[in-house]
Amino acid sequence: MSDALVHNYKRQPVAFERGEGAWLWDSQGRRYLDALSGIAVCGLGHAHPAVAQALCEQARTLVHTSNLYEIPLQTRLAERLTQAAGMQQAFFCNSGAEANEAALKLARLHGHGKGVERPTVIVMEGSFHGRTLATLTATGNAAIQKGFAPLVEGFVRVPHGDLAAVQALSDHPDVVAVLVEPITGEGGIRIPPAGYLKGLRALCDQAGWLLMLDEIQAGIGRTGELFAYQHEDVTPDVLSLAKGLGNGVPIGATLVAGPARGLFTPGTHGTTFGGNPLVCAAALAVLDTLEQQDLPNQARRMGEYLLEGFAKRLNGHPAVCQIRGKGLMIGIELDRPCAELVAQALEAGLLINVTAERVIRLLPPLIIDQAQADEIIDTVATLVERFAAQAA
C-alpha cells in the first residue's frame, strides 16, 4: 500500500478496474466472482444499467443544493421507503454509521423527553454499528474499541438473541431504547431464535423503550424480504439503512415511526451531503429494480440453494461447526481462525470475507444465477476441505 495513504486497512493485493453484474476484472484482465458485493453494498451487482443511467441523468441535471432547500427526489425516496417499511418519516445521511448515530441521538431525545437524565441504550454482544465514537461504543467488539477510550457512556450490553437478558433490564430506570441487528453481519452472521424481534417489540412497548433496528447490512432485500424484520411481522420505532440502498453510492437513512416521530426538529440534527439529488436518484433506481425484478425473492431462492449446496459438501466435516444464513447473508463457521482463506479464495478467483475470526461470510449480489452459486459452493467447499486437511 502506498505511504501516501493512512494504513488503516489490511488490503488484498488486487486492484479492480471494472465490474459487470457479479463479476469484477483486475488491472491484469483477470476475472473474479464477487461473493461479497463490496460488503453487502452492490446488491444489484456492478455497473447496473438502471443505476448508471439514473446517476448520469441526474449528474447532468443537478447534483447538490444542500438541505437548506426542498429536494423533490428526497421527498419521493422518503415516501417510497416509509411506505415499504411501514414507517412514517425518513432522515437521509451518508453512511450506516451516520444512520446509527442519528438513531442513538433519537434515543437520547426520547429519554430526556421522559425525564431520564442519563439515557441508556441496550446493545448486543458481537454487534457492529459503525466507527464513529458513539457507534463504536455501541458495537459489541472490544478489539474495535481498543485504543479509543474514554468511550461514550449510556450503553448496557447483553447477549444477542437472549430475550431473557433484555427482560431482566425491564426495571432499569435509565434504559430508553434497544438497538439490535436482526442478523449480525460483522459479528458472524448470527441469526436469533424465531420470535426474538416480536419479543423485543413487546418488551419495548411495555417499558416505553424505542425498538431500534440496524439493517445496514441485512436490509434492502438481502435476506429475502425488503427489510429483515419483515420475516417476523413487527415494526420498529427506528430503522437504520445504508449499504445496499445506493448500490455503491454513499447514502444512509434513518426511518422513524411512533414515539420516534417528531423527536428531530429544526436545528437538532443535520447533514451537508445527505440525501442530495444524486444519491436519491440512485436509491430510487435501486428500489425500482428490486421491485421490478422481484430480487428479494431471488435472494431467498438463491440463499436456500447455496445453503443446500454447502450442506451437501460440508455437513459433517470435522472442521465445520455450523452453516447458517438467511437469503444471501450466509456464514460458515469453522473450528479455528481462518482469515488466510480470503487470500486463497482470491487466488481461486472468488471474493469472500472472514469475520469474527472463523466465520466465512458470503454476501453475493442479489442477481446471482445458479451457475454462479455452483461456482461459489464448489470453490468455498474445496478451500475449506484443503484448509482443514493442511491443518490436520
Side-chain angles (χ1 to χ4, degrees):
M1 181 186 290
S2 166
D3 280 341
L5 291 168
V6 172
H7 290 191
N8 58 322
Y9 298 109
K10 188 176 181 181
R11 287 183 163 146
Q12 295 297 315
V14 63
F16 296 112
E17 289 196 335
R18 67 184 178 93
E20 181 178 342
W23 300 101
L24 284 166
W25 283 263
D26 69 12
S27 52
Q28 307 302 311
R30 187 182 178 199
R31 192 178 73 163
Y32 300 78
L33 180 55
D34 188 356
L36 190 58
S37 305
I39 315 181
V41 168
C42 298
L44 305 187
H46 299 282
H48 192 279
V51 178
Q53 182 178 350
L55 285 169
C56 290
E57 291 179 357
Q58 192 57 46
R60 285 193 292 263
T61 306
L62 184 66
V63 171
H64 180 80
T65 59
S66 90
N67 283 293
L68 293 174
Y69 310 102
E70 297 287 337
I71 302 174
L73 282 173
Q74 190 181 103
T75 302
R76 278 178 53 194
L77 180 59
E79 291 172 349
R80 187 82 174 269
L81 282 172
T82 53
Q83 184 176 11
M87 304 293 282
Q88 294 173 305
Q89 293 178 321
F91 164 76
F92 292 105
C93 49
N94 306 291
S95 69
E98 275 189 82
N100 280 333
E101 189 84 16
L104 295 171
K105 290 178 75 173
L106 285 167
R108 290 198 168 187
L109 287 173
H110 176 65
H112 287 305
K114 295 170 63 177
V116 178
E117 292 185 2
R118 304 173 74 86
T120 297
V121 178
I122 297 175
V123 291
M124 309 300 159
E125 295 173 1
S127 63
F128 182 84
H129 298 296
R131 303 266 187 178
T132 66
L133 202 51
T135 58
L136 176 81
T137 309
T139 290
N141 184 336
I144 291 174
Q145 297 168 341
K146 186 177 180 182
F148 295 106
L151 300 177
V152 177
E153 68 173 34
F155 296 95
V156 58
R157 200 173 308 283
V158 300
H160 185 259
D162 188 343
L163 197 57
V166 179
Q167 189 166 17
L169 294 168
S170 57
D171 293 330
H172 193 301
D174 294 331
V175 169
V176 296
V178 175
L179 174 63
V180 61
E181 297 164 279
I183 300 174
T184 66
E186 189 72 20
I189 315 296
R190 298 196 177 277
I191 303 168
Y196 178 62
L197 293 184
K198 273 195 172 181
L200 288 180
R201 177 72 274 176
L203 287 174
C204 287
D205 288 342
Q206 291 164 15
W209 301 338
L210 298 181
L211 176 60
M212 309 198 300
L213 300 185
D214 174 346
E215 293 213 11
I216 306 299
Q217 193 163 135
I220 315 298
R222 177 152 296 279
T223 68
E225 296 282 355
L226 187 58
F227 306 107
Y229 67 82
Q230 292 172 330
H231 290 286
E232 286 210 22
D233 194 27
V234 300
T235 304
D237 300 306
V238 181
L239 175 66
S240 342
L241 302 169
K243 291 191 182 291
L245 182 56
N247 209 58
V249 176
I251 180 171
T254 309
L255 309 188
V256 299
R261 180 180 183 178
L263 290 174
F264 280 154
T265 54
T268 51
H269 194 56
T271 169
T272 296
F273 296 106
N276 75 23
L278 188 71
V279 298
C280 288
L284 284 165
V286 168
L287 294 177
D288 286 343
T289 305
L290 285 169
E291 183 178 317
Q292 291 162 6
Q293 298 183 12
D294 198 17
L295 289 180
N297 268 326
Q298 165 84 352
R300 178 183 52 76
R301 288 192 299 271
M302 294 312 301
E304 290 171 354
Y305 185 81
L306 282 163
L307 287 173
E308 289 173 8
F310 285 127
K312 286 177 184 173
R313 285 287 300 268
L314 294 174
N315 264 0
H317 193 289
V320 177
C321 300
Q322 191 177 36
I323 302 166
R324 52 184 181 253
K326 207 170 192 64
L328 290 173
M329 196 171 182
I330 294 173
I332 302 171
E333 183 172 353
L334 303 189
D335 64 350
R336 69 203 74 175
C338 57
E340 58 260 56
L341 284 178
V342 174
Q344 294 175 19
L346 184 70
E347 184 61 31
L350 179 69
L351 305 186
I352 64 169
N353 175 242
V354 167
T355 190
E357 291 192 338
R358 55 186 192 150
V359 179
I360 300 169
R361 178 172 51 168
L362 300 170
L363 303 162
L366 280 55
I367 56 162
I368 61 164
D369 58 28
Q370 190 166 316
Q372 291 164 340
D374 286 335
E375 184 169 336
I376 294 170
I377 293 166
D378 185 58
T379 303
V380 171
T382 300
L383 288 170
V384 169
E385 290 161 351
R386 187 187 306 156
F387 173 70
Q390 290 170 346

